Amino acid sequence: MNAQLSPDPTRLTAGFLSAPHKLFINGQWVPARSGKMFDVINPATGQVIAQAAAGDASDIDAAVKAARQAFETGPWPSMPPSGRAKLLWKLAEAFEAAGDEVGTLESLDNGMPYRVARFVAVNGVAECLRYFAGWAGKLSGEVPTVSFPNHHVYTLREPVGVVGAIVPWNFPLAMAVGKIAPALAVGCTVVLKPAELTPLTAIRLAQLIEQVGFPPGVVNVVTGFGDPAGKALVDHPDVDKISFTGSTVVGKSIIAGAAGNLKRVSLELGGKSPVIIFPDADLDRAVEGAANGIFGNAGQVCVAGSRLYVHKKVFDRIVEGVVDRAKKLKVGAGLEPDTQMGPLVSQKQLDRVSGYIASGKEQGAEVVVGGQRIEGKSGYFMQPTVLAETNRDMRVVREEIFGPVVCAMPIDDDDLDRIARIANDTDYGLSSYIWTRDMGIAHKLARKIKAGMVRINGGMGIDYALPFGGYKQSGWGREHGREGVEAYTEVKSISMALN
Ligand code: NDP
């Protein structure tokens, strides 16, 4: 189906939404031991659309036991890599077959435009599964050169063990599969805790995992709240690694929680990414890139370009262009066919973003466009917002807003060191964006910026071959690419005396 077409949401999802959802543990669908359920809300309407089981520490314990058993005695790590790869491919195909339904669920649950959901939640996820399936048989150790004579040495890469995957609500399915796929490829088993705001596609993922025949316990899905379910996973003494995406605040608590058994920890956290536009850039493309980079997924994107630094010679032109796009953006429910920007994910997120705009105004920022909740709609709709007259001391410039709000600031400088200092003047270091036709400037500046990712003239979207992650308080480690696969392994060195 053409992803441009609006699906028939009722036909596609009615059965799924009305089902009483359970937890997926050891290949079985089981209710939460407490019997508790929680409401799943459509952010475009504020209405309850489904219910999910509220797992707690006892459910997490059961899921970890299942994952442990599948790792130690089950067939997973010992399965030939081609067997693991084959199942990951089958899962990719199952997602494609269920693409319209999964895209619809993601759009209903998170609010994102259907086109984005279909492209990211289905095509992207299938790509992800196939990319990491390819790694199953390609991991290798080394034969290092050592100084001891008459010894044979080599290293092995082995799966780290039971992985706890904790994911946020902004790209629920892509985040979940982005963690599960590399972990499974190398032979780990997984307990997934999706965000309580967006559990639906994680449940659908578990159904497809069951359908394509993964052995019991290899993937377990426990829906529920950050505390108790997520916290119990972090604290659990039999989990070997936590792979987390979410806020920096929770990321820090995970480091503390993981200390109990010194779990391995990967963290993909927040960002406050700079967009730097030079006067020689293709200004039309730069405007488009800057607008898409902050209004895409309503700004609920860790790599959102939220600090817009524009050379003073073209500042007015760029700001006018971004403002014009903000005015023209069609904001609506994700399943309306012409929607370009959906609602924020929750009332809490709407309050949080509104609170930041209010704080910006109090500190002297000018609202050039937007700044208000969209009235007359029952969902959590926010106007795309451009702030000017902002400076480094304002909270809107320093903190991650995670909404469609960009701070535009002129750069009155041509010195690359000083421009890099401005770009690096943040606790975060996730992504960065440079717009110029001068490749010398682009690549010199790219090396000076302290961020895990630099995108020049737009760069590209997510490609699973390219490492993804941040410097400073944007996280620990990298997802995707070789680094992302190796993050789910331990290295063992073996030496043997030859005489
Ligand atoms: P959180 O960091 O709280 O949530 C991310 C995940 O962690 C969710 O699955 C959450 O569960 C879980 N979690 C929450 N508390 C704990 C805990 N103590 N132990 C283990 N897991 C836990 O993000 P929020 O949803 O609260 O969003 C707040 C802000 O975080 C946003 O406004 C944004 O600034 C930032 N954020 C950044 C993201 C990124 O990609 N960098 C993604 C999401 C948010 P549950 O949902 O059930 O609480």
Side-chain angles (χ1 to χ4, degrees), residues 55-288:
D56 64 15
S58 64
D59 303 298
I60 288 288
D61 188 52
V64 172
K65 283 199 174 88
R68 174 58 60 194
Q69 196 183 356
F71 185 75
E72 301 296 344
T73 60
W76 195 247
S78 55
M79 186 183 280
S82 60
R84 294 199 299 269
K86 201 185 275 180
L87 276 170
L88 290 167
W89 270 80
K90 277 179 83 175
L91 186 57
E93 282 158 11
F95 265 113
E96 285 171 339
D100 296 343
E101 180 209 349
V102 177
T104 305
L105 284 177
E106 192 80 318
S107 178
L108 279 172
D109 204 4
N110 162 279
M112 66 178 70
Y114 174 74
R115 269 191 296 273
V116 178
R118 184 70 173 82
F119 183 71
V120 177
V122 183
N123 300 8
V125 155
E127 279 303 308
C128 174
L129 288 161
R130 292 194 179 110
Y131 173 78
F132 286 112
W135 272 102
K138 296 188 183 61
L139 266 191
S140 59
E142 294 179 339
V143 181
T145 304
V146 292
S147 301
F148 275 80
N150 293 324
H151 282 76
H152 172 52
V153 302
Y154 60 99
T155 66
L156 294 177
R157 280 210 174 257
E158 298 184 334
V160 67
V162 173
V163 172
I166 302 177
V167 296
W169 41 260
N170 56 335
F171 288 101
L173 183 64
M175 297 282 178
V177 174
K179 294 186 187 312
I180 285 177
L184 295 180
V186 302
C188 294
T189 58
V190 180
V191 177
L192 169 68
K193 208 298 281 176
E196 102 229 4
L197 291 171
T198 53
L200 297 184
T201 47
I203 297 169
R204 195 69 187 95
L205 166 67
Q207 291 177 345
L208 294 178
I209 279 172
E210 182 184 30
Q211 178 188 311
V212 303
F214 278 79
V218 170
V219 180
N220 306 272
V221 178
V222 178
T223 50
F225 291 79
D227 188 0
K231 186 171 182 312
L233 194 53
V234 172
D235 292 344
H236 202 291
D238 208 22
V239 172
D240 298 298
K241 175 181 170 105
I242 292 288
S243 180
F244 172 81
T245 298
S247 63
T248 296
V249 173
V250 174
K252 288 180 182 176
S253 81
I254 282 173
I255 297 170
N261 65 335
L262 283 181
K263 290 177 183 65
R264 278 59 184 137
V265 176
S266 297
L267 302 173
E268 205 278 279
L269 307 176
K272 196 74 192 175
S273 301
V275 181
I276 303 155
I277 302 180
F278 289 88
D280 70 331
D282 178 332
L283 298 182
D284 291 337
R285 281 184 58 210
V287 163
E288 191 184 336

Side-chain angles (χ1 to χ4, degrees), residues 23 52 67 85 88 125 132 165 257 283 302 347 384 404 454 464:
L23 311 175
L88 290 167
V125 155
F132 286 112
L283 298 182
C302 53
Q347 181 66 51
V454 180
Y464 291 96

Side-chain angles (χ1 to χ4, degrees), residues 222-482:
V222 178
T223 50
F225 291 79
D227 188 0
K231 186 171 182 312
L233 194 53
V234 172
D235 292 344
H236 202 291
D238 208 22
V239 172
D240 298 298
K241 175 181 170 105
I242 292 288
S243 180
F244 172 81
T245 298
S247 63
T248 296
V249 173
V250 174
K252 288 180 182 176
S253 81
I254 282 173
I255 297 170
N261 65 335
L262 283 181
K263 290 177 183 65
R264 278 59 184 137
V265 176
S266 297
L267 302 173
E268 205 278 279
L269 307 176
K272 196 74 192 175
S273 301
V275 181
I276 303 155
I277 302 180
F278 289 88
D280 70 331
D282 178 332
L283 298 182
D284 291 337
R285 281 184 58 210
V287 163
E288 191 184 336
N292 291 343
I294 190 64
F295 303 139
N297 208 27
Q300 302 168 123
V301 182
C302 53
V303 293
S306 49
R307 292 183 294 140
L308 179 58
Y309 295 111
V310 187
H311 195 281
K312 63 177 180 187
K313 286 186 193 156
V314 292
F315 182 78
D316 289 346
R317 159 118 191 248
I318 293 290
V319 172
E320 276 162 24
V322 175
V323 166
D324 185 52
R325 290 186 74 94
K327 286 181 181 160
K328 290 181 177 151
L329 264 187
K330 171 81 178 61
V331 183
L335 292 177
E336 285 166 14
D338 51 352
T339 289
Q340 294 170 309
M341 190 177 101
L344 298 180
V345 76
S346 64
Q347 181 66 51
K348 186 173 157 206
Q349 195 63 16
L350 182 64
D351 293 343
R352 181 187 155 98
V353 173
S354 306
Y356 271 111
I357 293 170
S359 100
K361 287 201 275 195
E362 273 164 32
Q363 291 188 295
E366 176 203 343
V367 179
V368 188
V369 70
Q372 302 287 331
R373 175 183 190 159
I374 298 180
E375 299 297 341
K377 288 181 188 269
S378 51
Y380 315 122
F381 293 95
M382 185 76 207
Q383 293 173 335
T385 299
V386 177
L387 302 179
E389 302 298 328
T390 51
N391 64 59
R392 68 175 299 282
D393 297 319
M394 294 180 177
R395 286 183 60 213
V396 285
V397 174
R398 304 222 68 81
E399 298 177 20
E400 184 179 46
I401 298 174
F402 227 58
V405 183
V406 67
C407 298
M409 292 163 280
I411 312 176
D412 189 3
D413 211 322
D414 294 306
D415 180 84
L416 290 188
D417 284 318
R418 283 195 291 270
I419 292 173
R421 269 202 295 280
I422 293 169
N424 293 334
D425 183 17
T426 168
D427 292 336
Y428 295 106
L430 191 54
S431 194
S432 56
Y433 306 87
I434 299 169
W435 291 88
T436 175
R437 285 192 172 96
D438 185 327
M439 288 304 103
I441 286 182
H443 290 288
K444 273 189 227 158
L445 186 56
R447 285 163 190 246
K448 292 174 193 289
I449 288 180
K450 293 186 170 62
M453 295 170 276
V454 180
R455 303 284 182 253
I456 297 168
N457 294 337
M460 63 183 190
I462 301 284
D463 188 300
Y464 291 96
L466 210 54
F468 186 100
Y471 284 33
K472 301 195 274 184
Q473 294 192 32
S474 288
W476 278 359
R478 295 290 179 273
E479 299 197 289
H480 311 167
R482 173 185 289 277

